[in-house]
């Protein structure tokens, strides 16, 4: 190409921002336009600490104007509404954006089809949800807190269960610190008899043993029927609850339905091992928006999005040059399940699965990682 390529990135989450950094390293002259409603990164992994007061909103919402200026990125404050000409034109609420190459990184959407789901708080919907949990907990003098998650039946990888374990163990620790644990019952529910199986065979017994040791009741292996103001309804009976925290499975963004993008059975954008969208030249997807080839335990987490972003950036630039697109990403699950005082490190690859016992060091490692990760955007 005789002039620098014009690249459009949709989203302002982990995958989108990692794509920006990778592209800027490889193509300093490229013209990059990023479309997102706000120039902000919401660091949701840290929202688990909002109910305890360890984190506040202003610590987790990172303004991106400075980062965009350093990276030479033009930010378009808008919602994506559709695509045209095989992705070469992006329709937005603020007008159209033409491009030579496109990266879709607009995240996923939680499936809210269960009856009465409005009676549950969905923690990963945003910082406001974590603040709502904090306020509800402060107002309670006792009662039952039910915490659970489910998946997308058509897409095993489209779920996010890790944060719910963190809320479960974190609230237990918080109530003990406050001397209020005896006034509360914690119940963990899941339609699977092996919740967290995607973390690896070693993780499930460790997590269940930790629940038992902390006096947390479990309600496992029963399909969910819905929610009522103070009940979780399952085929195995109802769970009385004064506060319900629930993470549904994930599917694609609503705007995908206004396009002819190829979709997976679970509603995500179909992708190949190079993060390309089949049949859509110079179009790529990273992070929660995509359905990628690999094991069914492939995580929907920031680390995975970062790995996919690096591959997508390399292949995008190679494709524009007419060169072979050979970059792929490794499948790796890496997380620290935090309990407010200790952290359980879980690492899984196709070859191995490591689960460490809860360590105070890992809690501090998670806090240190947050500081290091956000420093590149502040």
């Amino acid at each position: 190409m005789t002039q620098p390529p014009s690249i459009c990135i949709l989203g302002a989450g982990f995958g989108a921002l990692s794509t920006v950094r990778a592209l800027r390293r490889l193509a300093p002259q490229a013209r990059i336009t990023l479309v997102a409603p706000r120039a902000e990164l919401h660091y949701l992994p840290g929202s688990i600490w909002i109910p305890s007061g360890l984190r506040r909103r202003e610590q987790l919402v990172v303004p991106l104007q400075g980062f965009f200026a350093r990276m030479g990125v033009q930010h378009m404050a808008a919602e994506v509404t559709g695509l045209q000409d095989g992705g070469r034109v992006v329709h937005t609420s603020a007008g159209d954006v033409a491009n030579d190459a496109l990266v879709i990184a607009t995240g996923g959407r939680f499936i809210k089809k269960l009856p009465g789901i409005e009676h549950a708080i969905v923690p990963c919907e945003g910082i406001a949800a974590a603040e709502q949990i904090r306020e509800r907990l402060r107002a309670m003098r006792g009662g039952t807190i039910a915490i659970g998650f489910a998946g997308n039946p058509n897409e095993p990888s489209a779920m996010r269960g890790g944060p719910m374990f963190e809320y479960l163990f974190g609230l237990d620790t918080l109530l003990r610190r406050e001397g209020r644990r005896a006034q509360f019952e914690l119940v963990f529910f899941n339609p699977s008899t092996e919740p967290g199986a995607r973390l690896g065979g070693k993780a499930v017994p460790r997590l269940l043993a930790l629940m038992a040791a902390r006096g947390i009741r479990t309600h496992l292996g029963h399909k969910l029927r819905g929610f009522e103001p103070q009940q979780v309804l399952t085929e195995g009976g109802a769970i009385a609850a004064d506060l319900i925290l629930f993470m549904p499975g994930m599917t694609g963004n609503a705007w995908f339905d206004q396009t002819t993008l190829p979709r997976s059975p679970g509603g995500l954008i179909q992708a190949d091992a190079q993060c390309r969208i089949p049949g859509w030249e110079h179009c790529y997807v990273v992070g929660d928006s995509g359905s990628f080839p690999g094991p069914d335990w492939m995580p929907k987490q920031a680390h995975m999005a970062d790995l996919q972003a690096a591959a997508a950036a390399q292949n995008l630039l190679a494709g524009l040059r007419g060169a072979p697109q050979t970059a792929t990403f490794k499948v790796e699950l890496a997380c620290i399940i935090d309990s407010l005082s200790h952290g359980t490190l879980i690492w899984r690859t196709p070859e191995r699965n490591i689960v460490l016992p809860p360590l105070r060091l890992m809690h501090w490692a998670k806090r240190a990682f947050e500081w290091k990760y956000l420093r590149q955007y502040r």
Side-chain angles (χ1 to χ4, degrees):
M1 300 183 69
T2 56
Q3 60 180 5
S6 176
I7 301 168
C8 185
I9 298 173
L10 309 182
F14 298 108
L17 299 183
S18 291
T19 302
V20 168
R21 290 190 292 110
L23 286 172
R24 200 41 93 211
R25 281 196 303 270
L26 298 169
Q29 303 307 315
R31 293 173 294 156
I32 301 175
T33 300
L34 184 144
V35 180
R38 294 170 300 279
E40 296 175 346
L41 170 64
H42 288 221
Y43 189 78
L44 293 183
S47 65
I48 59 165
W49 294 322
I50 283 181
S52 67
L54 189 59
R55 287 292 179 272
R56 302 181 308 278
R57 169 183 287 269
E58 56 268 27
Q59 294 173 293
L60 301 177
V61 177
V62 181
L64 293 172
Q65 290 91 343
F67 172 74
F68 289 156
R70 293 194 302 274
M71 292 288 118
V73 170
Q74 179 182 352
H75 171 237
M76 186 174 193
E79 299 270 1
V80 181
T81 58
L83 302 174
Q84 188 178 329
D85 298 337
R88 295 290 69 79
V89 176
V90 178
H91 297 310
T92 84
S93 56
D96 291 349
V97 184
N99 66 81
D100 298 312
L102 175 69
V103 179
I104 300 174
T106 50
R109 174 169 54 109
F110 292 109
I111 302 170
K112 292 193 163 186
K113 292 183 178 179
L114 281 172
I117 195 169
E118 67 273 11
H119 300 302
I121 299 175
V122 180
C124 277
E125 277 198 314
I127 291 172
E131 292 172 331
Q132 186 182 0
I133 295 168
R134 180 189 63 201
E135 299 310 312
R136 287 279 300 274
L137 197 63
R138 285 177 177 174
M140 294 174 71
R141 295 295 171 259
T144 300
I145 303 174
I147 300 176
F149 65 89
N152 181 332
N154 299 314
E155 190 113 9
S157 66
M159 69 159 63
R160 186 173 288 142
M164 301 313 287
F165 291 121
E166 295 188 290
Y167 272 101
L168 184 71
F169 298 129
L171 292 185
D172 175 80
T173 299
L174 176 60
L175 291 169
R176 291 179 189 277
R177 284 182 178 177
E178 295 175 343
R180 300 200 294 154
R181 181 64 175 89
Q183 284 76 54
F184 287 83
E185 181 177 31
L186 296 182
V187 183
F188 176 76
F189 64 94
N190 193 275
S192 170
T193 55
E194 294 190 324
R198 294 168 63 252
L199 299 173
K202 295 180 179 180
V204 176
R206 294 274 186 94
L207 292 170
L208 293 178
L210 193 54
M211 291 180 204
R214 288 171 171 251
I216 297 171
R217 181 160 65 91
T218 58
H219 186 91
L220 307 176
H222 302 292
K223 186 177 179 180
L224 294 172
R225 291 175 45 216
F227 304 91
E228 292 183 352
Q230 291 188 305
Q231 283 194 117
V232 179
L233 305 176
T234 81
E235 292 185 350
I239 306 168
D242 302 285
L243 175 62
I244 303 169
L245 311 185
F246 176 64
M247 192 83 78
M250 301 170 68
T251 187
N253 299 148
W255 72 265
F256 296 172
D257 296 339
Q258 309 306 314
T259 73
T260 57
L261 287 164
R263 308 283 285 278
S264 69
L268 304 177
I269 299 173
Q270 199 66 57
D272 65 13
Q274 286 73 38
C275 301
R276 297 173 296 194
I277 302 174
W280 288 59
E281 189 178 25
H282 305 312
C283 291
Y284 303 80
V285 60
V286 302
D288 291 353
S289 295
S291 178
F292 302 89
D296 62 7
W297 54 263
M298 187 186 303
K300 292 294 185 188
Q301 60 176 196
H303 177 60
M304 199 70 246
D306 289 346
L307 297 175
Q308 291 160 352
Q314 293 178 57
N315 290 324
L316 182 155
L317 295 171
L320 291 174
R321 293 194 306 269
Q325 301 178 51
T326 58
T328 58
F329 54 87
K330 61 181 178 180
V331 179
E332 183 175 71
L333 185 156
C335 69
I336 295 174
I337 294 180
D338 188 78
S339 69
L340 203 57
S341 62
H342 293 67
T344 299
L345 174 67
I346 299 176
W347 183 51
R348 185 178 186 181
T349 69
E351 296 78 32
R352 57 175 56 185
N353 183 205
I354 294 175
V355 182
L356 297 183
L359 299 170
R360 190 175 297 275
L361 174 65
M362 288 297 110
H363 168 74
W364 287 99
K366 190 178 183 90
R367 293 172 67 168
F369 176 83
E370 176 190 275
W371 175 83
K372 181 181 179 184
Y373 193 90
L374 292 183
R375 187 175 62 166
Q376 62 196 336
Y377 299 120
R378 293 197 188 279

